[in-house]
Amino acid sequence: MRILVIGSGGREHALVWKLAQSAKVSKIYAAPGNPGIAELAECVQLDLTNLSAVADFAQQQAIDLTVVGPEATLVAGIVDVFQARGLNIFGPSKLAAQIEGSKGFAKDLMAKYNIPTAAFGVFYDADSAKKYIQEQGAPIVVKADGLAAGKGVIVAMTEAEALEAIDKIMLDSEFGQAGASVVIEEYLAGEEASLLAFTDGKTIVPMVAAQDHKRIFDADQGPNTGGMGTYAPAPVLTPELQQLCLDTVLVPTIKAMAAEGCPYVGCLYAGLMITKQGIKVIEFNARFGDPETQVIMPLLASDLAEVLLACAQGRLQDVEVKWNNQAAVCVVMAAQGYPAADYRKNEPISGLESVKQLENATVFHAGTGISAEQLVTTGGRVLGVVGCAQDLRAAKDLAYQAVEKINFTGQHYRKDIAWRALK
Ligand code: AMP
Ligand code: GLY
């Protein structure tokens, strides 16, 4: 099988790493990829805003399966362009990707099909949004409707904060068109978990549950980030709760999408809050999580290429998805200044060779580049350092053992990944 992976982050490195282990995979291209991915795949520069040029490449290179990482490319409609040419692609269509691309779409879908989620309203002007906030009081959550690179959610502990968020999103247009409308929702208290699932639009198979650490500092302090670390399995999602998620969230969502005329194929990512009142959906993502994928892939015992191709071809029912009984922990090493936009860049990275001597430790590149033949930092989240072992504690120890070997100026990382499971 010849495979093309779209994207350049740690998530894509983890997907390529797992795909490369398949005996059925003969060649992997990544567009654009990164220096870590380049050790396993051929990185190519394609204009990802020109979807027909990407499809031309897939045809010219006789690609058997394309796997899409980032949501923006899905929301732009890459799947529709590939399918129109009869090319196999793993991911939702443009319409189905609205489950992430429009929070209003996702909330309306959940309301219509009784999928448990926070109570909400959708607003198209600032005055009615503010009136609703004043009626509901705080704490309350304000969300820009569209894609805002993970920054469009404000969890407001006071009414003033919520009103200020409306000004920023709707009057100052901080997120552009993504903030033309807002979802305002009930604040949910509880513990979060990420449940991702493979689906071909009819059959849905959950992956091992994971937990992300969104705040920059230990003990969940400081601003939100793209995710500072993950672990899997997440014991908070007990087998009973996982079954409940399957029955009340994943299966009903797949049925709802099909009933709405936009069957959902790809990875469906349910961001869940486990509240005292039960499980509620915080959000759906139309793609693999980052850095969830970095801990889920090492636990997958099945051939990823086979599973993804079966999803793309509507025959997931025929494939057995198996997991090993291990645990994985990912520690994200970030650049100085992250999550602010002006983080430090171009710092040489050392120590990756010595991590290769640690069995079952893997470094996924997220924000790296090559400058003057030296590996350097280019992104805010630079590396995802993963330990895989028989249990979470051993996996955590291994991940931090690997982190200790790596060095770049200004590096920072959380020291408490997996704390909720190990407390
Ligand atoms: P999102 O970008 O939708 O993942 O939201 C970012 C973070 O905001 C989530 O991971 C939660 O920690 C938090 N959040 C979102 N919605 C709610 C809610 N209704 N109640 C409490 N926290 C929320
Ligand atoms: N880890 C959060 C996300 O992928 O959205």
Side-chain angles (χ1 to χ4, degrees), residues 11 71 100 150 194 212-214 225-230 269 283 285 287-293 381:
R11 163 183 56 204
E71 62 273 17
E100 174 169 5
S194 307
D212 192 3
H213 300 60
K214 297 234 163 115
T225 69
M228 290 300 291
T230 40
Y269 168 143
E283 59 163 355
N285 291 321
R287 49 161 177 89
F288 286 97
D290 190 343
E292 284 88 344
T293 308
R381 291 191 293 173

Side-chain angles (χ1 to χ4, degrees), residues 90-361:
F90 178 84
S93 68
K94 182 175 185 157
L95 259 182
Q98 286 304 301
I99 204 162
E100 174 169 5
S102 166
K103 294 200 186 323
F105 173 95
K107 295 296 287 192
D108 287 340
L109 185 88
M110 289 187 269
K112 182 168 171 188
Y113 293 91
N114 284 314
I115 296 159
T117 190
F120 72 102
V122 182
F123 301 91
Y124 299 87
D125 69 273
D127 284 345
S128 44
K130 287 183 177 178
K131 190 157 160 267
Y132 183 76
I133 289 169
Q134 281 154 346
E135 282 161 16
Q136 300 292 317
I140 194 158
V141 181
V142 178
K143 302 184 173 184
D145 180 79
L147 295 182
K151 300 203 172 75
V153 174
I154 294 96
V155 180
M157 298 318 281
T158 64
E159 212 175 286
E161 265 178 89
L163 296 173
E164 198 187 316
I166 296 297
D167 284 342
K168 271 201 220 158
I169 296 173
M170 301 197 92
L171 301 180
D172 308 339
S173 302
E174 199 163 290
F175 307 113
Q177 251 328 93
S181 61
V182 293
V183 168
I184 303 178
E185 67 178 33
E186 171 197 3
Y187 171 81
L188 300 172
E191 190 172 333
E192 285 180 57
S194 307
L195 188 62
L196 283 64
F198 298 109
T199 179
D200 64 358
K202 304 172 298 235
T203 300
I204 187 155
V205 178
M207 303 182 206
V208 176
Q211 193 172 59
D212 192 3
H213 300 60
K214 297 234 163 115
R215 304 296 195 99
I216 186 80
F217 300 128
D218 284 15
D220 296 330
Q221 301 297 308
N224 258 315
T225 69
M228 290 300 291
T230 40
Y231 64 95
V236 64
L237 268 195
T238 59
E240 294 72 32
L241 283 179
Q242 286 204 42
Q243 187 61 44
L244 192 69
C245 284
L246 188 62
D247 296 341
T248 65
V249 175
L250 296 179
V251 170
T253 300
I254 288 308
K255 286 191 177 156
M257 292 296 279
E260 292 294 308
C262 47
Y264 188 97
V265 175
C267 173
L268 180 66
Y269 168 143
L272 303 166
M273 188 74 87
I274 295 123
T275 74
K276 289 207 175 80
Q277 289 76 41
I279 282 186
K280 304 227 171 152
V281 176
I282 300 173
E283 59 163 355
F284 284 118
N285 291 321
R287 49 161 177 89
F288 286 97
D290 190 343
E292 284 88 344
T293 308
Q294 290 87 316
V295 289
I296 292 171
M297 287 304 128
L299 305 182
L300 180 64
S302 301
D303 183 324
L304 180 65
E306 244 177 73
V307 175
L308 300 185
L309 185 64
C311 288
Q313 295 180 331
R315 45 177 190 79
L316 182 58
Q317 203 185 354
D318 304 334
V319 175
E320 204 186 349
V321 181
K322 285 196 247 161
W323 302 93
N324 62 41
N325 284 324
Q326 294 194 304
V329 170
C330 173
V331 179
V332 170
M333 298 183 75
Q336 184 178 325
Y338 178 78
D342 56 348
Y343 52 78
R344 192 168 180 143
K345 284 184 198 157
N346 255 315
E347 291 299 340
I349 303 168
S350 65
L352 295 191
E353 281 307 314
S354 53
V355 175
K356 286 189 175 150
Q357 269 121 52
L358 279 180
E359 211 180 328
N360 298 321

